[in-house]
Each structure stands twice: as C-alpha cells, then as structure tokens.
Amino acid sequence: MQENTTRNAIHQLMADKPRLRSIEVALELNCSELEVIQALPEQEVNMLPAEQAQRLLTDIADWGNVTCIIEVSGFVFEVKAPLPKGKNAYGYYNLSHDSDGLQGHLKLDNLSAMALLTRKVRGKLSYYVQFFDHKGNSVFKIYLGRDKDGQVIPAQITRFNALATQTTSDDANIVSDETIAIVTN
C-alpha cells in the first residue's frame, strides 16, 4: 500500500509542478530519487539488468563531448568532456588517466540501477543516463552533449536511441534483482 501511496504522490507532485527535477520531487516527498524515476509512466520505463553498466559506459566513451554531473547535498559539479574509456582493476572500473578532464574510479558493484532518460529538465529536452546506488540515491548523471546553439548533438541522440533499443532486445531474457531503467518521453 505504501508503494502505491508514494507513487500516487509522485504523480500528483509532478503534475502540479512539472518543472521540478527528480531529486526535488524525491526531497519534497521524502523518497528516493530512484522511486521517482520508477514512478514515471509505464511507457517511459523499461527495466533491465544492472550488470550492463560497463557496456553502457564503454559505448558512451565513443560519443564525444558529454556532460557528467555529480550532485551532492545541493552542490552540483559538472565536467563537459568526452567520457574516458575505462578498464577493470582492483575492484573498480577505472576511467583513463591518459587525458585531462574527467577521471575517476567507479565501483560498479555499488550500482543498483541506471536509467536512460529522455525528458524535459527545466523546460529543455534532455537525454541522459542516471546511475543509482543501493539506497536509490543518484550517484552521477551523463547528459548528451550540446552544440554551440544549445541543441543536443543529433549523432549522440541516434547512439542513445540505438543503445536503448539494443539493450532492450539483447537483454530481454535476463532476470536480475539489479536493473537499468530506460526512460523516454
């Protein structure tokens, strides 16, 4: 019953305040951001196995400039650069140190879900991948890049949509407690 109540509250708040970001909805309703994403209309969400994180990151590394965002306690950090290629070592997926820009060490085992989203953020159509921990908190997001006019790069939209289709068809028969959500409007 609690799940339906939370879901209904999410739907109502999003209808009343459509410009709110998912984190703002979660904070206002005291639920996880993942719950907000999972409450989006059924036609917007496809759940898939979370073990696809490395494959997803490897693919995005070939897309060119993207914007990686980490938001913690109201602090927002952004890096606009290509996502570096990574490799596994010491229990982490390590982003390359061969270039300036984004670097890091990702503990992919700490991910419980990911969502590919196509939705308006602050009134602007955006495409992004959101990664969640086991508590349903957002770990980071990767937004598709934009050109000098502020438009999402068309080639990246094509890759994003192809990835969503490929991931859906390749993994339809895999059952897992950890999932990826593909969300589109």
Side-chain angles (χ1 to χ4, degrees):
M1 184 68 177
Q2 174 65 26
E3 183 178 325
N4 284 337
T5 303
T6 300
R7 205 173 181 81
N8 291 339
I10 291 167
H11 290 161
Q12 187 62 53
L13 183 57
M14 291 178 88
D16 293 345
K17 299 179 179 179
R19 291 181 61 95
L20 285 182
R21 296 177 304 131
S22 54
I23 184 62
E24 294 165 329
V25 173
L27 290 170
E28 191 161 327
L29 297 177
N30 196 31
C31 65
S32 75
E33 193 169 356
L34 179 57
E35 287 177 281
V36 174
I37 296 301
Q38 291 173 327
L40 292 172
E42 186 177 306
Q43 70 271 18
E44 296 179 4
V45 181
N46 295 301
M47 305 305 288
L48 300 168
E51 61 260 18
Q52 296 300 317
Q54 184 172 333
R55 182 172 91 173
L56 183 68
L57 292 165
T58 299
D59 195 54
I60 293 171
D62 290 328
W63 292 8
N65 282 340
V66 294
T67 301
C68 294
I69 296 179
I70 300 171
E71 184 172 355
V72 178
S73 300
F75 295 90
V76 181
F77 297 90
E78 297 183 16
V79 176
K80 294 180 181 184
L83 182 73
K85 293 200 180 290
K87 62 181 178 181
N88 290 310
Y90 306 107
Y92 288 85
Y93 182 71
N94 299 287
L95 300 177
S96 173
H97 290 82
D98 295 339
S99 64
D100 292 335
L102 183 65
Q103 298 179 17
H105 313 281
L106 311 179
K107 188 75 167 169
L108 297 182
D109 290 344
N110 288 353
L111 295 177
S112 68
M114 299 185 311
L116 294 176
L117 298 107
T118 303
R119 58 192 312 254
K120 287 191 175 184
V121 176
R122 302 282 191 209
K124 197 173 200 178
L125 184 61
S126 297
Y127 298 78
Y128 60 103
V129 183
Q130 190 164 0
F131 298 80
F132 298 93
D133 67 17
H134 292 283
K135 293 181 182 178
N137 300 313
S138 180
V139 179
F140 65 100
K141 301 173 191 176
I142 301 173
Y143 282 77
L144 273 59
R146 293 187 181 272
D147 63 21
K148 61 181 171 65
D149 297 321
Q151 299 300 309
V152 179
I153 299 169
Q156 289 188 7
I157 295 172
T158 301
R159 298 281 303 264
F160 182 90
N161 290 334
L163 180 64
T165 302
Q166 172 189 354
T167 305
T168 302
S169 62
D170 287 353
D171 301 315
N173 297 321
I174 298 174
V175 178
S176 173
D177 290 338
E178 301 201 352
T179 56
I180 298 172
I182 297 178
V183 183
T184 58
N185 281 352

